[in-house]
Amino acid sequence: MELLADVALLPGEERVIDKDIIYICPFGRAQKGKVFITNYRLYFKSTDADLVVTLNVPLGVICRVEKMGGASSRGENSYGLDITCKDMRNLRFALKQEGHSRRDIFDILFRYAFPLSHGRPLFAYQSQEKYEENGWSVYKPMEEFRRQGLPNGKWRITFINKTYELCDTYPTILAVPFKATEEDLRRVSAFRSRGRIPVLSWIHRENQAVITRCSQPLVGMSGKRNKDDERYLDLVREANGTSRLTIFDARPNVNAVANKATGGGYEGDEYQNSELVFLDIHNIHVMRESLKKLKDIVYPNVEESHWLSSLESTHWLEHIKMVLSGAIRVADKVSSGKSVVVHCSDGWDRTAQLSSLAMLMLDSHYRTLRGFQVLIEKEWIRFGHKFASRIGHGDKNHADQDRSPIFVQFIDCVWQMTKQRFQFPTAFEFNEHLLVTILDHLYSCRFGTFLFNCESTRDEHEVRSKTVSLWSYVNSGSDSYLNPFYTPESGRVLYPVASMRHLELWVTYYIRWNPRIRQQQRSPVEQRYKELLALRDEYLRKLEELQLSDSSSSSHLSNSSPPDTSSPAASNPSQQHTHLHTQF
Amino acid sequence: MLTGSKTTFKVRQMAPDVTERMLSQSGLNSRSREMFGLRCLPGECVLQRAVLVRKKLSAREGGGWLAGTLFCTHFRVAFVPQESPKPDENCDPVLLGDHDVALASIEKVVAVGPSRTKLVTPNSSLKFTPEELVLYCRDLRVICFLFDRLTPDTQAVEITYTIAKTYQPLKPGSVLSLQNAALGSVEMKQFLSNRRRDAHMNWFESAEDWEQELERCSASGWRVTAVNDRFEMSTSLPTLNVVPQKVLDTELKKTFAHFNEGRIPRWCWRHPRGSDLLRMSSFQNNIYHEKDDVRNLELILFGSQSSLCVVVDLTEEMPSPTDIQLAHSRLRALCLGDISASVSVPDDKWLSTLEGTHWLDYSRCCLRKAAEASCLLRSGHLTVALQEPEDRDLSCLVSSLVQVMCDPHCRTRAGFQGLVQKEWVMSGHRFYSRVNYHRDSDKEEAPVFLLFLDCVWQLWSQYPSRFQLTDDFLLALHDSVHLPLFCSFLANCQRERCKRTQHLSQSYTPVNGWRDVLPRVSSLDPSDPPLPPVWDWDLQYTRQRLASFTQPITPTPPLPSLPNGNLNTNQDALRPSDSVPGSVFLLSRGSFSCPSSLLPWRGGSAGVYKKSHRRAPSSESLPGLERLLKACALTEPPQGLTSSSSSSMGPQGPLDPYEPLLPLLLGPCIGVWKECYLRGALHAQAFSHPVSANQPHPVEKLAWEVQRLREKLAQASAAATDVQPLAKRAEPQRRTDSNFNQNTNNGTFLFPASRPQGLGVTRAVPPPLTSAHPQASRPAPPSRPSHRDHGGNNKHTFLFGHPSAAEARSEQRYYPGPGNGPKLSKNNRPSVGS
């Protein structure tokens, strides 16, 4: 028990088992120590006195657990467990070859890491954490619409999906063209994959251009048409007098064509006054394989000499570039006053990436700490990005074809944008730490925020009443997520540079487990800022002391300057300025 | 690429009447050097100008376009923004304004028309009116001007022609004419000859300079020798060299013959823990080793240490100059993305193409070699001798890189300048041939110095807060290399440099004098302009630019004072008792060996030297050495893999200041110096952000704030002592001040190379705290208003100009809250907006 003293258990967290174990650290020698498993985490601490190694892994991070070696296998450390994690690392433990030491721990890990496969609740439902703020109220749809100036003469709010009958993966409150009747919406939903009709995500305050999102039209092999859908898109176009509506299809052209075979497709020439643009972003399977390749080259060992070509062969940065440049095109259209429609196949993966990134570029509100939370809640969670299927919370089926790091890719794109803040440091209120925290809790199952696929299932499982929101946790200790250089401004559009020459691998996330890559909690720039602040305070204090002790001589100071400052610096205007300041 | 020029025929000759084309001839009226708003150098002529031109600003400059007037003179292409303040007539001439580029830096001129682009050469003609003018520069800048519809067509055509005609690819004659265009006027010569050298840096020209360095490093056992005074011992070595005290000049003279080009082992630097860094060329093998010679050779190689010497071989695993040249030319081609060239690298192949240049690999090699040497040095009491066949390329690079890693002083601007002066300029790096100014040494061309700057940048980007100099300084130095105006770079060694200056100072030219020796500089005649050193930054750049060369406040913690300036705490480790030269190891490919042929005089015929004695210590110290190298490989012991409780200070936090900054060499840790190599990437969209674009980084603002407070504090305390002459508070402060100066080897940032001790003069009145900062090297920050900075240009008026609401708010962040010294903040606040 004494080992647990240095890890504070969460309210609701309970110890399940502890065991002597050897951690086969890939960055050094094997570490003897103790492992503790609770219903929330796996915690390891080495018993080595000189160099303490600890591991603190939420069970939700675990993707698969496998036994390695058998009871009869030879060699040291050959009998143990191999744990694959979702956050770019693998853990290997060795056990003593006696009794059934491995079976116990394997069974427990398997049961607690994949509760849903064993009919057990996720930890988020067991957690007793309490926070001052209720993160579930960070995003209020009506408030957000009102902030954007909606409803107005052209756009109205509809409650048609109150009981999820129009579309079971959409939120309850939607913004649609004013002229579209409820009946129109129903008819359009019949022609859109899974009923995900075009609805408004964001409206430009000045030029009234909008970003609308939807799924693909159900054109099929026969090339079906739907007059209502065509008229509906024309209403979207009409709302701000856009001459040609731009429909961004996130997929590569061939994929869109291939989708016709399964009843999907894309908008053809029958859609008058519109243009269709393919953005060439690949599907979830391609992204999954790309990140898998990336993991292969960053964990555990990182190459020296052929690093760049290895990195290139993963195509991860190229995919990032395609997503970012797609979002730039969307944002650019909108800021020039043209309304756009964004969709992919189902409108919950690439569409969410494009709309949310474009909104991040267009609207400085989303670059604040709370605004960013609103953005994720609005475009990802409420609009039914299938977090449960993509992440596989508590599911033992690690090879599920639905898994894909789409949200990780989005956060990476955001990081790329904030990264360019080293030149332009004041644009984002939040920092890298927030992004890493979000990704950590994307998997951890400690909070309810990223659980389940859509609003209707979330309601079913009473997520908002039975679990805690990640934003409760973040907003209760928000200082560490703030960028000290942030300067609020209701600025212009923020375009990142989407070129391979300027994109970088997010080393401090993807390679953070490598001890050789320094774990910089704070960037050196922020570090320096803190040091300077301390130095400033010290000088101010000293000045004040001087001022108090020498108050009798204060009259001297203003006209007697020290002899040496008569050199060039004294003629410097700012130096004189300093003199003006210093009237003690 | 040049095919275009061959196919075009000359439509017309450019205006032959030269006097007509010279729109202005300044210098006649010396007091008014302004021509059409351009502040000319004395004697500089405006050949052509075009109005209503827009210059594309780089992301660093804030992006977007800047309207103004474009000029072409004999020396530069200048751009004067419309709203720039009226130039001050009385200030000293500055060679290049913020938007200017010297003709010598231009490599290619490309005109972009409505439907085509064309490479413009001196002989080619244009058949269209250019809409854009793109200048590709040798320093990897790409400067792009856009002609407005309102720009008269003739002006657009004429200035394109003029630039193409005047810039000319460099050749011996054009270098000289360029030097004359910039520095050749009587006024300019006078001005240059009256300039004072930067007294804050060590120039390593006099014996005092070297002695000061020995003192700074507390390097006892060494002396400065003038045995090469007339370059008789070695033509490429400087006149002054540092050798062991034990070796007399007469003995020393005999050793030169044993080394290639006579470049004997010379002292470079001493680590505070007592190890010495030496460099030398390869041994001459075909020479008979006399008994006495052997003793002296051993003495100069072991230096003041007696036990252990590690020879670091700089040929294994290191790029050759040819490799470096090839890598750099590939990098150039890749980064410039030349629009006039038909092939450009597709974006998705950027990473592998970049890897294929090997430039980053070579940076990594050099960093690794320097890191290995640094790790050996920190053990104390051994001699590390860098050996390169010629000792004029990579040994310059590695020896200076080791010092940047180990010596905080070398990370200040003044210290770094001294370092370059010591290890490159004086010790004979062949800048002249390697940079290939005259385009006549193509085979020798190799940007070894630029590779060094890249390595320093890699270190800087991994440990930015451990440097006082900034990446902007490195960039300025990078660009200056391409400008054939500086004596620092325009010679291959001190001897050549001396010839030139002696030559200039002589009243007559001996008929068969220097020319025989130096055909290269035969075109010199006494009227050639005196060339300034590159370190005369005031001459090159505006004060705003200079301000960004250093961080105003360097966050290094004050160093603990060292008894005798030495950190010799563990003297026992590798030190046998007797003073007989001991074991020598060769470090090559990351491991130590002891080949019998390492020292030619020890093997075979000359093996008279106490053979039996040597074996024992060799085998003992080998594991010790290997442990040292391992420490280099595992710079940071793996901390808790998940928790980072111990890293509250961070890797940047206060550490032992003498711990070397060991670079991370993993693939993702070696990056591209984008601010330098990708400046010209025209396809990059500008990331225009209205608030931040033209403002200093908040950290910079805060740093200047702290700097001002420090000055204020110094004034206040100085004033306090004026009133109470024997005030107790100020007295100890002064004493520590002078202690610092005596103890110069602690290399603190706060007192970079101030030299009162070296000059042997104790000032009557010790300066207050601020005066220890080199005033000259700390010009006005970019945010400070200067007299010529008024007007609508809100670029540099952040702190005191026209504070907007946002500015005022962020300003308040720096002042204490009401609870924390209300009186002070009351005094401060009104002045913010004044």
Side-chain angles (χ1 to χ4, degrees):
Chain A
M1 273 320 273
E2 83 284 356
L3 271 174
L4 272 181
D6 59 355
V7 51
L9 291 188
L10 299 170
E13 185 178 358
E14 283 162 13
R15 202 183 112 229
V16 178
I17 193 176
D18 49 310
K19 216 168 193 79
D20 287 324
I21 208 165
I22 298 164
Y23 168 49
I24 306 172
C25 178
F27 308 110
R29 61 203 156 89
Q31 302 282 339
K32 275 187 187 163
K34 232 174 173 135
V35 70
F36 290 84
I37 295 172
T38 71
N39 54 351
Y40 172 65
R41 80 183 93 199
L42 178 155
Y43 183 80
F44 170 85
K45 190 171 181 184
S46 66
T47 42
D48 240 4
D50 52 333
L51 193 67
V52 179
V53 172
T54 57
L55 291 173
N56 190 351
V57 187
L59 295 180
V61 160
I62 295 175
C63 169
R64 80 200 267 197
V65 185
E66 285 191 327
K67 295 173 188 168
M68 57 176 192
S72 61
S73 57
R74 310 229 155 185
E76 226 185 329
N77 305 336
S78 60
Y79 174 75
L81 293 173
D82 191 351
I83 300 174
T84 311
C85 297
K86 296 167 182 172
D87 60 351
M88 309 292 285
R89 58 177 159 168
N90 295 341
L91 305 170
R92 304 179 88 186
F93 294 101
L95 290 138
K96 284 193 193 115
Q97 281 159 300
E98 57 187 30
H100 292 294
S101 59
R102 185 170 67 174
R103 198 180 60 195
D104 295 351
I105 197 163
F106 178 81
D107 288 348
I108 282 170
L109 259 184
F110 208 71
R111 195 143 27 100
Y112 282 87
F114 309 121
L116 292 187
S117 303
H118 295 87
R120 298 172 47 84
L122 292 164
F123 178 73
Y125 284 90
Q126 295 169 310
S127 167
Q128 305 290 318
E129 286 183 85
K130 296 267 184 299
Y131 292 99
E132 281 173 28
E133 196 188 305
N134 180 8
W136 292 120
S137 55
V138 159
Y139 172 58
K140 298 201 180 78
M142 282 310 291
E143 233 168 63
E144 172 60 18
F145 278 133
R146 233 170 276 136
R147 190 189 67 84
Q148 295 187 17
L150 297 173
N152 61 18
K154 303 284 185 187
W155 295 88
R156 67 185 179 91
I157 309 296
T158 173
F159 298 91
I160 188 173
N161 201 33
K162 207 172 173 187
T163 54
Y164 305 109
E165 61 170 75
L166 182 81
C167 171
D168 60 353
T169 57
Y170 259 13
T172 50
I173 303 172
L174 301 168
V176 294
F178 192 84
K179 288 184 184 164
T181 64
E182 308 289 81
E183 194 46 42
D184 290 338
L185 300 180
R186 284 202 185 85
R187 267 183 261 154
V188 171
S189 79
F191 191 64
R192 289 277 163 183
S193 173
R194 298 172 203 269
R196 295 171 68 93
I197 61 166
V199 293
L200 178 144
S201 265
W202 190 77
I203 184 165
H204 194 289
R205 262 192 179 278
E206 275 95 52
N207 62 33
Q208 298 288 304
V210 297
I211 301 176
T212 48
R213 56 180 292 175
C214 57
S215 61
Q216 63 184 340
L218 297 173
V219 178
M221 292 300 274
S222 54
K224 270 182 291 201
R225 285 182 64 171
N226 182 312
K227 289 275 181 202
D228 295 301
D229 194 62
E230 288 164 30
R231 204 173 63 83
Y232 183 84
L233 284 192
D234 210 47
L235 289 178
V236 172
R237 177 191 67 80
E238 225 178 65
N240 81 328
T242 303
S243 52
R244 274 173 87 76
L245 181 71
T246 309
I247 301 166
F248 285 106
D249 189 326
R251 302 167 291 185
N253 193 343
V254 278
N255 294 28
V257 174
N259 260 292
K260 283 189 175 178
T262 51
Y266 51 90
E267 292 83 355
D269 294 337
E270 65 274 16
Y271 287 80
Q272 284 171 2
N273 302 322
S274 73
E275 56 173 343
L276 183 68
V277 178
F278 293 104
L279 294 177
D280 289 330
I281 302 171
H282 285 281
N283 63 23
I284 59 167
H285 311 292
V286 175
M287 302 306 179
R288 181 182 58 234
E289 294 314 309
S290 173
L291 190 65
K292 207 174 267 174
K293 280 186 198 154
L294 182 65
K295 183 175 175 177
D296 287 343
I297 65 163
V298 299
Y299 192 91
N301 295 314
V302 186
E303 280 184 77
E304 273 192 9
S305 50
H306 296 292
W307 162 255
L308 289 176
S309 48
S310 306
L311 181 62
E312 185 178 282
S313 66
T314 70
H315 296 292
W316 181 252
L317 285 180
E318 217 183 311
H319 295 313
I320 295 276
K321 177 188 125 178
M322 292 313 289
V323 173
L324 269 178
S325 55
I328 290 169
R329 292 179 73 174
V330 173
D332 186 51
K333 264 287 181 260
V334 171
S335 69
S336 67
K338 310 274 178 13
S339 289
V340 301
V341 175
V342 183
H343 73 72
C344 46
S345 296
D346 289 314
W348 51 41
D349 291 312
R350 288 166 274 196
T351 303
Q353 290 179 330
L354 290 171
S355 67
S356 52
L357 284 170
M359 287 158 73
L360 198 63
M361 292 168 197
L362 289 162
D363 192 338
S364 63
H365 174 67
Y366 299 125
R367 292 175 222 143
T368 63
L369 182 64
R370 277 160 190 270
F372 189 62
Q373 298 167 11
V374 168
L375 185 71
I376 290 176
E377 282 281 341
K378 176 173 150 58
E379 288 301 303
W380 289 85
I381 297 168
R382 307 291 167 121
F383 269 107
H385 173 67
K386 302 205 293 173
F387 281 104
S389 306
R390 299 285 175 259
I391 308 302
H393 296 121
D395 185 355
K396 67 175 180 182
N397 186 3
H398 58 82
D400 194 313
Q401 287 300 302
D402 256 353
R403 306 277 180 271
S404 188
I406 298 300
F407 187 73
V408 176
Q409 195 174 45
F410 160 71
I411 295 289
D412 193 333
C413 291
V414 176
W415 178 82
Q416 300 286 352
M417 285 179 70
T418 61
K419 170 78 175 111
Q420 293 178 352
R421 113 196 117 103
F422 281 107
Q423 272 175 309
F424 307 96
T426 58
F428 289 85
E429 190 190 23
F430 54 87
N431 59 16
E432 186 179 17
H433 184 207
L434 177 78
L435 300 179
V436 174
T437 306
I438 288 174
L439 289 185
D440 280 344
H441 292 296
L442 173 66
Y443 306 119
S444 76
C445 297
R446 176 173 162 190
F447 303 105
T449 302
F450 297 117
L451 302 182
F452 305 111
N453 279 339
C454 57
E455 282 301 282
S456 53
T457 29
R458 243 168 245 128
D459 284 359
E460 231 170 81
H461 289 89
E462 297 168 283
V463 168
R464 294 204 169 81
S465 56
K466 289 190 171 168
T467 71
V468 178
S469 163
L470 170 60
W471 315 127
S472 307
Y473 168 77
V474 166
N475 293 337
S476 302
S478 54
D479 272 4
S480 61
Y481 306 110
L482 293 179
N483 165 18
F485 314 132
Y486 173 65
T487 314
E489 43 84 41
S490 56
R492 266 182 273 151
V493 191
L494 204 67
Y495 293 123
V497 181
S499 144
M500 292 301 282
R501 288 158 166 79
H502 291 269
L503 296 178
E504 278 171 39
L505 184 74
W506 189 4
V507 168
T508 42
Y509 177 70
Y510 297 115
I511 322 185
R512 62 180 162 154
W513 309 120
N514 189 321
R516 297 281 303 276
I517 305 280
R518 273 166 307 197
Q519 264 186 295
Q520 289 180 329
Q521 291 308 99
R522 220 163 250 118
S523 74
V525 186
E526 282 180 38
Q527 189 93 25
R528 174 161 158 76
Y529 192 78
K530 292 249 153 84
E531 285 168 4
L532 284 171
L533 279 179
L535 210 56
R536 188 206 65 189
D537 290 345
E538 185 193 323
Y539 286 155
L540 281 174
R541 203 188 58 243
K542 276 190 191 159
L543 267 174
E544 209 169 342
E545 276 169 21
L546 268 179
Q547 186 184 359
L548 290 175
S549 60
D550 303 335
S551 54
S552 58
S553 61
S554 61
S555 57
H556 265 268
L557 189 66
S558 49
N559 37 25
S560 77
S561 64
D564 247 57
T565 41
S566 55
S567 56
S571 59
N572 189 324
S574 70
Q575 196 82 9
Q576 286 159 4
H577 213 99
T578 312
H579 280 257
L580 294 177
H581 277 265
T582 324
Q583 290 160 352
F584 292 111
Chain B
M1 276 183 310
L2 288 164
T3 48
S5 62
K6 278 180 187 163
T7 52
T8 45
F9 52 94
K10 287 181 192 176
V11 172
R12 59 184 168 148
Q13 269 298 334
M14 274 304 298
D17 188 357
V18 177
T19 50
E20 193 187 295
R21 281 175 59 214
M22 292 193 183
L23 296 179
S24 75
Q25 170 84 47
S26 66
L28 298 173
N29 178 358
S30 59
R31 283 273 51 102
S32 166
R33 289 199 235 109
E34 192 198 323
M35 286 297 151
F36 306 108
L38 174 70
R39 191 163 174 283
C40 293
L41 298 166
E44 192 180 15
C45 316
V46 172
L47 296 175
Q48 190 56 254
R49 83 186 163 123
V51 295
L52 297 165
V53 176
R54 283 185 294 161
K55 185 194 178 206
K56 187 178 172 114
L57 296 181
S58 67
R60 193 185 186 84
E61 294 167 308
W65 298 86
L66 186 65
T69 310
L70 183 65
F71 298 88
C72 178
T73 76
H74 274 135
F75 163 62
R76 59 177 162 164
V77 174
F79 180 80
V80 179
Q82 243 158 31
E83 288 173 1
S84 62
K86 210 165 157 47
D88 182 359
E89 283 296 326
N90 294 318
C91 66
D92 290 337
V94 173
L95 291 177
L96 296 169
D98 291 341
H99 299 285
D100 301 355
V101 56
L103 290 171
S105 304
I106 298 175
E107 190 167 48
K108 232 186 279 181
V109 180
V110 171
V112 182
S115 55
R116 54 183 294 208
T117 60
K118 178 167 163 43
L119 183 72
V120 191
T121 62
N123 302 320
S124 62
S125 58
L126 277 178
K127 290 178 201 149
F128 58 91
T129 305
E131 290 176 345
E132 254 178 77
L133 177 65
V134 188
L135 306 178
Y136 289 88
C137 303
R138 295 164 55 75
D139 53 22
L140 290 167
R141 272 183 299 172
V142 177
I143 300 168
C144 181
F145 297 103
L146 191 70
F147 295 113
D148 203 272
R149 259 167 302 179
L150 296 171
T151 315
D153 280 2
T154 49
Q155 285 190 1
V157 173
E158 295 288 312
I159 198 152
T160 307
Y161 270 125
T162 312
I163 293 172
K165 276 209 180 313
T166 330
Y167 90 92
Q168 292 188 353
L170 286 177
K171 54 181 194 274
S174 66
V175 167
L176 192 67
S177 68
L178 188 107
Q179 287 168 355
N180 272 318
L183 313 167
S185 68
V186 179
E187 228 186 342
M188 202 65 189
K189 282 179 186 167
Q190 208 167 18
F191 171 71
L192 286 175
S193 57
N194 288 335
R195 280 189 84 73
R196 281 217 220 123
R197 295 202 313 189
D198 184 353
H200 298 289
M201 63 174 275
N202 194 334
W203 291 75
F204 292 97
E205 285 182 349
S206 65
E208 288 79 32
D209 291 344
W210 280 101
E211 267 150 22
Q212 191 206 335
E213 179 75 352
L214 285 169
E215 196 180 332
R216 189 183 75 82
C217 297
S218 304
S220 52
W222 297 91
R223 67 183 183 90
V224 183
T225 175
V227 73
N228 195 34
D229 196 25
R230 318 190 66 174
F231 305 109
E232 283 162 348
M233 297 292 121
S234 164
T235 49
S236 63
L237 281 184
T239 51
L240 300 167
N241 291 286
V242 176
V243 293
Q245 241 163 14
K246 288 178 248 177
V247 188
L248 301 174
D249 273 357
T250 46
E251 297 166 336
L252 187 66
K253 279 184 182 171
K254 295 178 190 161
T255 62
F256 284 88
H258 295 269
F259 293 88
N260 189 6
E261 276 193 53
R263 296 177 70 90
I264 54 165
R266 288 115 48 225
W267 177 87
C268 297
W269 182 70
R270 169 170 286 190
H271 190 278
R273 292 216 172 86
S275 303
D276 289 307
L277 180 69
L278 270 58
R279 51 186 285 192
M280 60 184 175
S281 65
S282 56
F283 305 112
Q284 290 284 18
N285 285 319
N286 51 353
I287 192 164
Y288 178 69
H289 298 98
E290 282 179 49
K291 214 170 175 185
D292 283 355
D293 287 356
V294 170
R295 184 183 159 270
N296 293 325
L297 286 168
E298 295 267 344
L299 278 175
I300 59 165
L301 182 57
F302 280 81
S304 66
Q305 317 292 340
S306 55
S307 60
L308 195 55
C309 172
V310 178
V311 175
V312 178
D313 177 31
L314 294 184
T315 49
E316 292 284 342
E317 298 180 286
M318 295 287 274
S320 70
T322 325
D323 294 336
I324 297 172
Q325 168 64 7
L326 188 61
H328 191 253
S329 56
R330 285 183 183 145
L331 181 77
R332 283 173 60 87
L334 177 62
C335 293
L336 281 180
D338 192 338
I339 53 171
S340 71
S342 51
V343 277
S344 77
V345 177
D347 208 37
D348 59 339
K349 289 277 169 267
W350 158 256
L351 291 175
S352 53
T353 320
L354 178 65
E355 183 180 292
T357 66
H358 293 298
W359 180 257
L360 298 182
D361 279 342
Y362 296 158
S363 276
R364 183 183 288 118
C365 291
C366 298
L367 285 165
R368 179 182 292 115
K369 200 59 93 178
E372 283 173 2
S374 302
C375 284
L376 292 177
L377 285 167
R378 77 172 158 187
S379 73
H381 295 296
L382 52 78
T383 301
V384 174
L386 307 175
Q387 187 174 38
E388 194 195 10
E390 292 201 315
D391 179 34
R392 297 178 77 172
D393 290 304
L394 290 173
S395 61
C396 301
L397 196 161
V398 174
S399 65
S400 41
L401 205 49
V402 165
Q403 293 171 62
V404 172
M405 285 178 187
C406 296
D407 190 345
H409 174 67
C410 294
R411 287 173 240 144
T412 65
R413 196 187 91 175
F416 186 81
Q417 294 183 171
L419 180 71
V420 173
Q421 192 74 13
K422 177 171 71 167
E423 300 294 343
W424 295 80
V425 176
M426 295 312 285
S427 72
H429 173 66
R430 296 186 297 155
F431 278 108
Y432 186 93
S433 308
R434 291 296 186 215
V435 183
N436 192 10
Y437 286 108
H438 288 178
R439 309 275 125 237
D440 57 356
S441 54
D442 288 352
K443 281 187 184 156
E444 307 257 308
E445 186 176 340
V448 183
F449 186 66
L450 300 186
L451 184 63
F452 166 64
L453 292 182
D454 190 281
C455 293
V456 176
W457 180 85
Q458 302 286 354
L459 269 181
W460 178 87
S461 68
Q462 288 185 21
Y463 303 92
S465 63
R466 305 284 291 276
F467 281 77
Q468 185 237 16
L469 59 85
T470 62
D471 60 334
D472 205 43
F473 170 74
L474 296 175
L475 194 61
L477 191 52
H478 176 275
D479 294 349
S480 300
V481 172
H482 298 280
L483 211 56
L485 292 180
F486 307 108
C487 62
S488 318
F489 299 140
L490 276 164
N492 281 333
C493 58
Q494 193 190 3
R495 181 164 148 273
E496 283 183 18
R497 221 167 269 118
C498 286
K499 300 288 183 208
R500 188 189 160 91
T501 47
Q502 282 173 18
H503 193 94
L504 285 176
S505 60
Q506 271 167 358
S507 51
Y508 76 96
T509 313
V511 181
N512 281 320
W514 310 110
R515 295 180 183 201
D516 294 339
V517 200
L518 282 174
R520 179 70 36 82
V521 277
S522 58
S523 59
L524 289 181
D525 68 68
S527 64
D528 284 346
L531 298 181
V534 69
W535 312 125
D536 193 352
W537 296 110
D538 288 326
L539 191 66
Q540 280 199 66
Y541 294 113
T542 55
R543 305 210 89 190
Q544 279 87 351
R545 182 80 198 273
L546 290 185
S548 62
F549 284 4
T550 49
Q551 297 196 43
I553 298 283
T554 315
T556 302
L559 302 174
S561 63
L562 309 168
N564 303 323
N566 247 328
L567 274 175
N568 300 334
T569 45
N570 49 345
Q571 308 208 347
D572 50 327
L574 298 154
R575 185 167 222 183
S577 51
D578 66 331
S579 62
V580 182
S583 24
V584 180
F585 294 98
L586 177 73
L587 173 63
S588 178
R589 294 188 179 273
S591 62
F592 296 94
S593 58
C594 195
S596 55
S597 59
L598 179 55
L599 301 184
W601 57 83
R602 277 193 183 178
S605 60
V608 264
Y609 195 76
K610 291 191 185 177
K611 231 179 195 170
S612 56
H613 180 81
R614 241 170 3 249
R615 286 293 157 231
S618 319
S619 43
E620 272 168 30
S621 38
L622 197 56
L625 286 173
E626 272 161 3
R627 224 178 312 125
L628 287 174
L629 262 204
K630 261 186 207 134
C632 155
L634 291 172
T635 56
E636 277 130 347
Q639 302 166 352
L641 288 181
T642 48
S643 67
S644 51
S645 51
S646 58
S647 67
S648 59
M649 284 316 235
Q652 308 270 343
L655 303 161
D656 176 1
Y658 300 106
E659 275 305 298
L661 302 184
L662 294 179
L664 292 175
L665 301 173
L666 292 176
C669 303
I670 300 292
V672 186
W673 188 4
K674 287 183 188 156
E675 285 77 16
C676 181
Y677 308 142
L678 291 179
R679 280 183 287 180
L682 289 176
H683 47 80
Q685 310 138 281
F687 194 128
S688 65
H689 192 251
V691 171
S692 51
N694 291 326
Q695 279 177 14
H697 193 284
V699 168
E700 297 303 304
K701 287 188 284 186
L702 181 58
W704 287 114
E705 186 74 33
V706 173
Q707 169 82 8
R708 274 210 311 274
L709 277 172
R710 180 185 276 181
E711 284 162 11
K712 218 190 286 182
L713 190 63
Q715 281 168 23
S717 50
T721 54
D722 280 353
V723 180
Q724 312 159 333
L726 294 169
K728 284 164 199 151
R729 190 189 302 108
E731 207 51 44
Q733 189 186 355
R734 286 179 180 180
R735 202 166 291 145
T736 52
D737 192 348
S738 58
N739 271 349
F740 266 125
N741 286 336
Q742 273 165 7
N743 233 343
T744 35
N745 104 304
N746 60 24
T748 163
F749 286 134
L750 302 181
F751 304 92
S754 50
R755 302 176 63 183
Q757 292 297 320
L759 299 169
V761 182
T762 323
R763 287 196 203 167
V765 184
L769 201 54
T770 38
S771 71
H773 295 279
Q775 297 287 5
S777 65
R778 295 198 188 286
S783 53
R784 293 182 188 187
S786 62
H787 289 310
R788 38 194 183 118
D789 221 35
H790 299 300
N793 186 0
N794 64 353
K795 222 171 168 179
H796 301 296
T797 50
F798 178 77
L799 276 180
F800 310 100
H802 318 283
S804 70
E807 285 166 349
R809 189 165 40 238
S810 61
E811 192 63 21
Q812 279 167 11
R813 283 182 171 193
Y814 307 140
Y815 287 97
N820 186 10
K823 194 175 173 189
L824 200 65
S825 46
K826 220 181 271 172
N827 281 341
N828 275 334
R829 209 153 273 153
S831 62
V832 171
S834 64

